[in-house]
Amino acid sequence: MAPHATGSPPWTPTSGSPSPPITVLASSRAVIAGRITEATIVISTRTGRVTSIFHSVLPPSSFPPGTEYLDHSPHILLPGLVDAHVHLNEPGRTEWEGFWTGTRAAAFGGVTTVVDMPLNAIPPTTTVNGLEEKIGAAHGKCWVDVGFYGGIVPGNEKELKPLVQKGVRGFKGFLIDSGVDEFPAVSSEDIRKVFAELGDEPTTVMFHAEMVPPITASVGDEVQHSDEPPFAPSGPLDLYQTFLDSRPPSFETYAIAMILSLAELAPRLPLHIVHLSAIEAIPMLREARASGISITAETCFHYLSLAAEGVKKGDTRHKCCPPIRSQSNQDGLWDEMMREDDSVIKTIVSDHSPCTPNLKLLPSCHGGAHEAADAGDFFSAWGGIGSVGLGLSILWTEGQERGITIEDVVKWCCKNTAKQVGLEHQKGDLSVGFDGDVAVFDDEGSFLVEPSTMLFRNKCSPYEGKVMKGVVKETWVRGKRVYTRATGFNEKSGPSGSLLLEPRKFTKAIKALDEKGEKRT
């Protein structure tokens, strides 16, 4: 047996007992339990789970004749990424994105699990009926595994516990206009009711943390529709700086302060800030965590790779909320991510929030077809970045100059994202008993982002035309190869992703804290 082997020994001709059907993936480099090592990974084709891991590259002769055996050396075997923030929009706005296209795009980039946000679909996932419609729409269309979030809107607090029981991975609410009428923002009083309902449930409550402070120079997204706007825009509406000025860091810090002021109402409930962009919020989050408040944050690939100074006039592909901020702000986010001690930013996600090209109002000078008077208007354009399936390469490309390791990537995009959504017992790591979700990553390869490499429905992204370093060669979900860079998808067998609807449970660590009467952190 190889040193440090996990599980039972490999098959030998004299073993005397038939071996169960298996697939074997090997490489001179794999990230196992958070560190890079040689590895041979054995996956049951019956259960889709890892049955053994050996910290060396075993030869094919170590396994029964006919075993599917692939040595991917020198490419890296990674746990499949868990993208914990994706808008798939189906049903209702399937022309924006859908389960079929969105999950294929995910598989292209080594993402084996996505968690779908509750808004932009019609109906939103704010009721059990809404979740059931979502499940029906997803059935038979998913190329990777898919989980679902529930939504928090005014008046739906009695739907929340039933949604937990139906298997949602957490809940999201907006503290500012979401952009769609069917998902209104919540007030502090709404949050009080939510905390009362979910304070003892095995879930996480997440917030889009932007609020307009009582005194602000913001013109907001509605400036061009208002007869008497309270403040004039700082410049032309097709200049990115004008939009950036309208959503200052104070929007984020004010919202987070409000959330923290209510946290004592549910001290056992994990809280989470989605898509943190403003570095000004980091000290207050660090202080809150030090005081025992159970709160974490995520940031996004675009905040770590794009900067306001690089956004050209009218290029509305860059519009998102919170906005992409300055280069110095981006550097500050990276500094926080790279802290040797406890960073408040635990995860990196895509926040893939696409729309049809006409809603981006992209002018022809940036490849769009919009020539109306509002072409290039950052205030009127839909806000959201299309990037699902590009994140690993975006992060690896940007990180080369910042000294990140592949172990860092696995921590941020696999292990911690799985934990965020209560899937740490089966996703986010290559470990015995876990799902056989594997991304085969060529860390030296590169590719051009173009329509053929943007598999999401609408080929509209600020990354188009950029060269990315790091190529996913193959993606395996539960021991099945769903995508290869060489041959694409197995269209004959079709999508085989699962819907992750097992209700969340308290972790052993949380149970131990509860027994001691301590807060969860």
Side-chain angles (χ1 to χ4, degrees):
M1 184 183 298
H4 311 297
T6 304
S8 56
W11 175 90
T12 63
T14 60
S15 62
S17 60
S19 175
I22 56 174
T23 294
V24 178
L25 305 180
S27 179
S28 57
R29 296 188 296 165
V31 181
I32 307 292
R35 66 183 184 91
I36 199 159
T37 179
E38 292 186 355
T40 302
I41 302 168
V42 183
I43 305 171
S44 168
T45 58
R46 290 176 177 169
T47 66
R49 293 179 179 172
V50 177
T51 60
S52 302
I53 297 176
F54 302 90
H55 290 253
S56 64
V57 177
L58 301 182
S61 59
S62 297
F63 303 96
T67 295
E68 184 174 24
Y69 175 97
L70 296 160
D71 183 352
H72 288 287
S73 303
H75 301 326
I76 309 174
L77 302 183
L78 303 178
L81 275 68
V82 178
D83 192 339
H85 192 145
V86 176
H87 295 265
L88 293 175
N89 302 340
E90 189 175 0
R93 290 190 174 94
T94 310
E95 71 276 12
W96 293 19
E97 189 63 276
F99 290 102
W100 182 277
T101 50
T103 58
R104 282 167 75 94
F108 170 88
V111 177
T112 55
T113 303
V114 300
V115 188
D116 178 54
M117 279 292 167
L119 71 156
N120 297 348
I122 303 175
T125 316
T126 53
T127 65
V128 169
N129 288 340
L131 175 62
E132 290 175 346
E133 287 199 44
K134 176 81 73 171
I135 293 168
H139 183 71
K141 298 178 184 177
C142 300
W143 292 84
V144 303
D145 288 355
V146 177
F148 304 95
Y149 289 119
I152 295 169
V153 295
N156 83 323
E157 63 272 5
K158 295 304 178 184
E159 292 278 351
L160 303 183
K161 286 184 179 179
L163 283 167
V164 172
Q165 295 162 6
K166 288 289 185 178
V168 298
R169 311 315 307 172
F171 293 90
K172 179 184 181 181
F174 273 71
L175 301 182
I176 198 169
D177 181 17
S178 72
V180 292
D181 292 340
E182 64 275 3
F183 205 94
V186 291
S187 67
S188 59
E189 185 55 35
D190 296 319
I191 295 172
R192 290 175 183 273
K193 295 176 182 177
V194 168
F195 284 1
E197 286 292 312
L198 295 178
D200 292 312
E201 295 294 319
T203 192
T204 299
V205 175
M206 311 181 301
F207 294 97
H208 179 126
E210 286 187 287
M211 290 180 71
V212 181
I215 300 175
T216 178
S218 172
V219 295
D221 276 9
E222 299 301 318
V223 59
Q224 71 277 11
H225 303 304
S226 176
D227 294 331
E228 297 182 4
F231 296 96
S234 64
L237 301 183
D238 61 352
L239 288 183
Y240 184 73
Q241 185 62 49
T242 307
F243 173 68
L244 182 60
D245 291 343
S246 77
R247 312 233 5 171
S250 60
F251 276 34
E252 292 188 67
T253 56
Y254 185 68
I256 291 171
M258 193 270 277
I259 294 164
L260 294 176
S261 73
L262 298 172
E264 63 180 12
L265 300 177
R268 292 154 45 90
L269 180 65
L271 306 177
H272 183 73
I273 305 301
V274 300
H275 49 51
L276 181 73
S277 78
I279 58 174
E280 289 84 351
I282 291 172
M284 59 197 304
L285 287 170
R286 184 175 297 123
E287 181 179 352
R289 286 175 57 80
S291 71
I293 294 176
S294 178
I295 190 165
T296 55
E298 69 189 35
T299 194
C300 302
F301 302 115
H302 43 275
Y303 299 132
L304 296 171
S305 62
L306 303 174
E309 293 90 336
V311 182
K312 295 181 179 179
K313 183 178 180 181
D315 193 352
T316 51
R317 293 174 299 185
H318 292 79
K319 181 185 176 180
C320 59
C321 299
I324 294 163
R325 302 195 186 276
S326 67
Q327 183 61 60
S328 62
N329 186 89
Q330 181 194 120
D331 294 340
L333 291 174
W334 273 106
D335 289 343
E336 179 65 18
M337 296 297 306
M338 299 297 288
R339 284 176 64 99
E340 293 184 2
D341 59 352
D342 186 34
S343 171
V344 302
I345 304 174
K346 299 297 183 184
T347 55
I348 307 175
V349 297
S350 70
D351 188 13
H352 176 66
S353 186
C355 65
T356 56
N358 64 302
L359 292 176
K360 273 295 185 184
L361 307 181
L362 191 67
S364 58
C365 62
H366 294 302
H370 199 80
E371 296 297 347
D374 58 353
D377 183 338
F378 282 101
F379 289 82
S380 297
W382 174 260
I385 303 293
S387 65
V388 69
L390 300 178
L392 174 57
S393 299
I394 293 168
L395 192 59
W396 193 243
T397 302
E398 180 66 26
Q400 294 307 290
E401 297 181 0
R402 298 183 182 272
I404 72 168
T405 66
I406 199 65
E407 294 95 330
D408 290 329
V409 173
V410 168
K411 177 179 68 175
W412 296 326
C413 302
C414 306
K415 187 175 180 64
N416 286 358
T417 44
K419 182 178 180 181
Q420 177 183 318
V421 296
L423 293 171
E424 66 270 29
H425 61 290
Q426 69 182 94
K427 303 288 187 183
D429 198 1
L430 295 176
S431 182
V432 171
F434 277 51
D435 291 342
D437 298 348
V438 183
V440 181
F441 186 56
D442 176 3
D443 57 324
E444 295 294 333
S446 63
F447 70 99
L448 177 68
V449 180
E450 55 186 347
S452 67
T453 55
M454 293 185 288
L455 274 59
F456 35 89
R457 184 180 297 278
N458 293 292
K459 319 301 183 184
C460 184
S461 173
Y463 295 103
E464 185 172 5
K466 298 181 184 295
V467 175
M468 295 294 166
K469 186 171 184 180
V471 175
V472 173
K473 307 297 287 187
E474 295 186 3
T475 301
W476 295 71
V477 180
R478 298 176 186 260
K480 293 183 179 180
R481 182 167 46 192
V482 300
Y483 169 79
T484 76
R485 192 59 178 251
T487 61
F489 293 86
N490 188 340
E491 305 289 355
K492 186 176 181 179
S493 63
S496 59
S498 298
L499 305 185
L500 304 172
L501 295 170
E502 180 184 351
R504 287 185 67 163
K505 299 177 181 178
F506 291 124
T507 66
K508 292 181 180 179
I510 287 177
K511 287 181 179 178
L513 288 174
D514 286 346
E515 290 172 359
K516 294 179 181 179
E518 299 177 12
K519 293 182 180 180
R520 297 177 190 165
T521 56

